[in-house]
Amino acid sequence: MNLWQGVEPSQLITLSILVPLFGALLVLATGKSPNLRETVTLTTAALLFSLVLAIADLTYQSTELRLDVIELFPGLSIAFNVEPLGVLFALVASFLWIVTSIYAIGYMRGHNEGNQTRFFFCFALAISSVMAICFSGNLLTLFIFYEVLTLSTYPLVTHAGTEDAKKSGRLYLGILLSTSIVFLLLAIMGTYSVAGTLDFTAGGVFDSSDSRAVLAVLLVLFCYGIGKAAIMPFHRWLPAAMVAPTPVSALLHAVAVVKAGVFSILKVMIYIFGLDELKTIATTDLMLYIGAATILLSSCIAMTKDGLKARLAYSTVSQLSYIVVGALLASSLASAGAAMHIATHAVGKITLFFCAGAIMVASHKKNISDMVGLGRQMPFTMAAFTIGAISIIGLPPMAGTWSKWYLTLGALDADKLIIVAVLMISSLLNIAYLLPIPIKAFFSPKPSSCSNSAASEPIPWHWSEVREAPLPMMIAIGVTSFCCLALFFYPQPLIDLINLIPGVSTHLSTHLHGDG
Amino acid sequence: MLEQHLAILPILLPLIAAPIAFLLGRGNLSWGFATLISGSAFYAAIQLLAVTLSTGSLSYAVGDWPPPWGIELRADVANAFILLVVSGISTLVLLFAKESVEKEIDPPLRPHYYTAHLLCLAGLCGILLTGDAFNLFVFLEISSLAIYTMISLASDRRCLTAAFRYLIMGTVGATFILIGVGLLYMKTGTLNMLDLAGRIDLYDSSRTINTGLAFIMVGVSVKLALFPLHMWLPAAYTHAPSAVTAFLAATATKVAVYVMIRFIFTIFGTDHVFSEMRMDIPLMVFAVFAIFKCSYMATVQSNVKTVLAYSSVAQIGYMILGVSLVSAAGLMAGLIHIFNHALMKGALFMAVGAVFYRVGSVDVNAFSGLGKQMPLTMAAFTIAGLSIIGVPLTAGFVSKWYLISAALEQNNWLIAALVLVGSLLAVVYIGRILEAAYFKKLPDTVDANNVKEVSWLMLTPMWILVLANIYFGIDTSMTTEAASKASEWLFSHENSQASAHNVNTLASSKEVLK
C-alpha cells in the first residue's frame, strides 16, 4: 500500500481504470513472447489489487474520493465517486483477477487454446471496465462502461470461433445489447427527465412528489434493462456464454460480468430509488416475486443439465437472483445480505468453475455422468469442488452461510415469509444438484468399462492416465477454496465495509428497537 | 477584402473552379485542383461559422442589389453549421476519391467527375446560403444535375437506370418546389425569404399559400428521401461510384433536410405549419415508418451499399422526427444528427469504397475474412458502425441522447421507446456485416495476397471521419453549442427578425410591385 502513498487520492481511481487498460496494451505488444505476456498480466493484476486496497483503506477511513473526467452533456459528466459497495465489488473482482490469471495461464496452455494474446487483451479490457463500473459516480458513467464491458467480453465468448460459439455470441450480444439499449437507456433518460440528476445519492434521487406510475415503470425498466443480472426471462445469454474458455466463465460469468449486473441493480435500488422510496413503489413486489421465481426455476433447470458448466451456469442464474431479491426486499438487512452475497458467491462459484476447468483439462470430461469415480484420480480438485458446493448451498463452515443468513433475516424483517421459504427450498435444491457430483466422484465405483462414454469423446483417454491438472490451476483452486473457508471465520472486514453503505446495516438490534 | 465577401466564397470558388478542373484534363492535376478548391471552401466555412457564432447573422447582397430586389445571401448559425459539414466532407471525399475513381471511372470520364463534384458542391453551398426562395430552386437544380451526372459515371451500366430514375423523381420534386415557390410569389409578390415570411403572416389562411406549402413540403420530401418518397435513393447509392455515394450520403440529403427546416421555420413559421396545418403529425408518422421500414429493409439486403442506403433513409427519419417534435430541443437533436450522421455515413461508405477497391464487390459475402486482410478499413467500419447503432462515446450516442431527451421533455415515452427499438435494428444490419468480416474465412477463390490494406491516401480521410466520430462523441461542446444556438435562432428569430426586416422593406417593395 505504501506503493501509492504519494499519489493524489482521487487519481487512484484514474489509475485503477488505466492500469488494466495499459496492461491490455502491453499484453498486445508482448504477444510474441508468451512468458513475458503472462508476466505483464500478473504484474498488472497485482498492481491493480494493491491500488484497490489503497482505495479501500481510504474508504474505511471514510475519505471521500471523487473525480469528474469530462462533461459529456451540459450538466452531465463522466464522473467517478467511490462508495463502499463499489469498493467491495472492486476488491472481489481485482483479487480474483490475480487468481484467475494464474489459473488461465495453466488452462490456456494445458488446453492448447489459440489466439491467447487476444484472450488476455480482452480480459484486461473487461477488468478495466469493471473497475469503472465499480467506481462510477452516476448512471451515465455506469451505462457507458456497462456497454464497454459487453462489447469487450464478446470476443471472449466467441473465442473458439466455431459455429456454436458464433451462435452463442449472437445470443449474448443480442440479449445484453438490446436490453441495455431499449430498457436501461430509457430508464436512465426517464430518471433524468423526472429527477433532473443521475448522480448516485444516498437515500435516492426521487422525492414523494414524483409520479408513482412513472417510478413503477422505471423500476421494471431498470430490473430488465440490467440484463447482466439475468432475471428470467432474459437469462438465456448466461448459459450460452459458457462456450467460452473456462477462465472466462469463471471470472467473467461467475464474478465480474454477472456481478456487474447485480451490483448495478443494488446500486440503483440503494442510491437512485433509495430503500425507503423503494418500499412504496407498486412494482417492487412484482419484481421481487419474479426474482424469487427465477431462483427456483433455474435451480430446477440446473438439475436437468448434464453438462457441468451448463449446470453451474443455471446455478449462477439462480444465485444472482438472491442478490436481486435482497435488493428488492428494501430492507437494510437484506441489502447487507445481498452485498455480502456478491463476495461470497464469487469465491464459491469461481472455485466450482475452476474445478470444472481442471477436470476438462486433465480428463477432457464435460459431462457430469462421466465423472463418476473421478475423485480417486483428482482428489484435490474434487475436494475443492465440495468446499465450493457447500459454500453455494450456504452451510457452515463456508462463506455462503453469512450471506444467506442476512438475506433470510432481511426477508423476516420485511415480513416476506414466502421469500424465506423460497430461500430454504433453494438451499435444498442446491444440495440436490451440486452435492451428488463429488459424492459420486468419491464413493461410486469406477465404471467397469468406459467404452460407452469414451466413444463420444473426441480424445481417447484412460483412467490411469488421468492426473490432477497443471500446477498453476491447482494453486488457483487452492486459494479460492481457502477464501471460502476464511470468509466464514473472518467476515469482519466485509461486514465493516457493508455497514459503511448509507442506509444499509447488518445490525438487527436497531430494527427491533425501531419496531418496538 | 475577402472578408466582406466571405458569404459568397463557398459558392463562387467551386463554381468558377469547375470548368477549370475540366480543362486540366485526366491527370492528377484536376484532382489536386478540385481538392484544393474544396479545402478553401471549407476554410471559408470555418470563418463563416466563427463570424455567425459571434454576431448572429451575416447578410450579403449579390451584385450590390439590396434585398428584397436583388438576391440576398444570408449566413446564420444554422446554415454555417451545415455548410461546415458539407464542405468538410467534400474535401475528405475528394482526398479519398483519387484512387477510388481510378478504379471505378473510365479515364476519359475522370475530369467529368471532378467538374461535377465541384458543381455539386457549389450548388449545395448555394442552397444553404441563399436567402431567396427562387434562387434556392436554381441551386437545387445545379446540384441535382451534377449529381445525376456523377451517378451515371460508374463503369457498371446499372448506374444509368439508377441515375435516370433519380432524374425523374428528382425533377418531379424540384418541379413541385418550383410550383410551390410560384404560388407564394403569386400571392405575395416577393421571393426574398425574410420578406416572404413577413407577408405570409398577412395571408395566413389563404388557400394559395397553403397549396404552396403542400407542394413545397412534398417536393422537398422527395429530395430528402422521406419515406415513402425514398424509392430513388437505394438504387442511386448502390450503383454510383463509391466516392460519389460517400459524398451524397453525407451531404445531399442533409442539405435537403436543411431546406425543409428553412421553409418551415423561417418562411412559413412554426405556428402556421405546425399549429394550423398540423404538418407535424404526417412528418412524425412518416419519420417513424422510415425508421422501422427502412431499418428492416437494411437487414435483409445482400449488397452492403444498399444496406447503408436504407440505413440512410432510416437515419433521415430520425432527423425529421426531431423536427416534428416542434421544440427547440427536438430541432437541435435533428441538427446534431445531420452533423453526426454525415460523419458516420461518410466513414462507412469510404470503408465500403476501400473494400470495393480491393475485392471488386460489395456483397455481404465479399466481406468474408476482411477483418484479417484489411484490419484498418474494417476497424474504421466497426467504429463507424457502432456510431450508427449509437453506442456510448460515439457521435451516434449524442444524437440519440438529445433526440430521446427532446421526446421525454414532452413526456412522449412512446417516441422515446420507438427510437431505442429502432436502434436495435441497426445492431442487426451492422452486426451482419461485421460477423462476415470477422468470423468468416476468406473464400478460396480469392487470392489472399491481392486483398490487402488500401493506401494511406484512402485510409487518412476515412480515419479522420472515424476519429471525428469518437471525438464528437466525447467532447460534445462544439456540436451542442452550434446546434443549440442554431435551433434557438431558428425558433426565436422566426418572427422577430422577419417582422423587423419587413418594416424596412414592405412599404418600398409594394410601391415597386405596383
Side-chain angles (χ1 to χ4, degrees), chain A residues 70 72-74 76 78 140 143-144 147 151 154 158 166 170 177-178 181-182 185-186 189-190 193 198 214 218, chain B residues 386 389 391-393 397-398 400-402 404-405 408 413 416-417 420-421 423-424 427 435 439 473-474 476 480:
Chain A
I70 184 166
L72 211 52
F73 301 108
L76 209 51
I78 294 187
L140 181 69
F143 176 73
I144 289 171
E147 296 292 56
L151 294 176
Y154 173 70
T158 56
K166 243 185 288 180
R170 221 177 280 154
L177 268 188
S178 38
I181 288 178
V182 178
L185 188 54
L186 189 60
M189 302 216 51
S193 85
L198 290 179
V214 171
L218 283 178
Chain B
L386 290 178
I389 295 170
V391 173
L393 303 185
F397 180 67
V398 179
K400 207 160 70 176
W401 179 274
Y402 280 113
I404 297 170
S405 298
L408 286 179
W413 287 69
L420 290 170
V421 175
S423 61
L424 280 189
V427 176
E435 204 175 272
F439 285 115
I474 294 172
T476 58
T480 311

Side-chain angles (χ1 to χ4, degrees), chain B residues 347-400:
Chain B
L348 282 173
F349 274 115
M350 280 184 194
V352 173
V355 169
F356 186 83
Y357 184 75
R358 282 296 183 216
V359 186
S361 160
V362 287
D363 205 72
V364 173
N365 292 326
F367 276 66
S368 301
L370 292 187
K372 277 234 165 70
Q373 303 294 325
M374 304 172 71
L376 285 173
T377 307
M378 286 321 295
F381 189 94
T382 309
I383 296 173
L386 290 178
S387 188
I388 286 266
I389 295 170
V391 173
L393 303 185
T394 61
F397 180 67
V398 179
S399 309
K400 207 160 70 176

Side-chain angles (χ1 to χ4, degrees), chain B residues 287-368:
Chain B
V288 170
F289 269 100
I291 293 170
F292 280 89
K293 175 79 192 335
C294 295
S295 295
Y296 169 72
M297 289 302 283
T299 61
V300 295
Q301 301 298 322
S302 63
N303 184 313
V304 175
K305 270 174 140 180
T306 323
V307 170
L308 296 180
Y310 274 110
S311 147
S312 280
V313 182
Q315 301 291 325
I316 288 164
Y318 287 113
M319 297 166 207
I320 299 298
L321 190 63
V323 174
S324 73
L325 286 172
V326 201
S327 65
L331 181 60
M332 171 181 156
L335 286 172
I336 285 191
H337 198 47
I338 290 180
F339 182 89
N340 290 341
H341 182 248
L343 299 180
M344 29 183 145
K345 267 299 150 51
L348 282 173
F349 274 115
M350 280 184 194
V352 173
V355 169
F356 186 83
Y357 184 75
R358 282 296 183 216
V359 186
S361 160
V362 287
D363 205 72
V364 173
N365 292 326
F367 276 66
S368 301

